Amino acid sequence: MATLFCAAAATSCRLTFPLAAPAPAPGLGRGRSRRGMVAVRAEADTAAAGSGINPAIRKEEAKVVDTVLAGELSKPLTPYCRCWRSGTFPLCDGSHVKHNKATGDNVGPLLVKK
């Protein structure tokens, strides 16, 4: 296996893939082979504030989970944060724009329609 590292601001990612072509999968016949798999995992820089993907939101909880019933939404389109940087979490406040510029990431909000 080969491992490549890419660093961007406070986070980095690790790409792992086989160097050799994968062996044909049994029963696939001649000329067909199974596809290789690439795994991408976010790794936090421990020097960054609040290590992990979630830098500071509700860290006292074992797992941050939010439930919203679509009928309770006040707007026809509601953006929810997926970058963990929003000051109005779980709602998106556009913080992903700054995060994307700083890290080269491409995260955006989850849009929920009523």
Side-chain angles (χ1 to χ4, degrees):
M1 292 288 229
T3 300
L4 300 177
F5 291 95
C6 56
T11 61
S12 64
C13 60
R14 179 187 308 227
L15 302 175
T16 306
F17 55 92
L19 285 176
L28 286 180
R30 190 177 177 135
R32 293 178 67 190
S33 65
R34 65 181 177 193
R35 294 180 184 206
M37 186 174 79
V38 176
V40 179
R41 184 180 76 199
E43 294 182 347
D45 181 351
T46 54
S51 66
I53 294 171
N54 174 6
I57 296 170
R58 296 174 9 209
K59 296 299 267 187
E60 67 282 354
E61 297 177 31
K63 183 188 291 186
V64 179
V65 177
D66 293 294
T67 302
V68 178
L69 298 175
E72 294 177 356
L73 297 174
S74 60
K75 299 177 183 177
L77 186 66
T78 305
Y80 284 88
C81 177
R82 293 192 305 164
C83 73
W84 290 91
R85 270 84 183 151
S86 177
T88 59
F89 189 88
L91 299 176
C92 174
D93 67 356
S95 295
H96 60 274
V97 175
K98 182 178 176 184
H99 165 78
N100 289 346
K101 285 181 182 176
T103 64
D105 205 350
N106 65 348
V107 70
L110 166 68
L111 299 175
V112 179
K113 294 182 181 182
K114 187 172 183 179

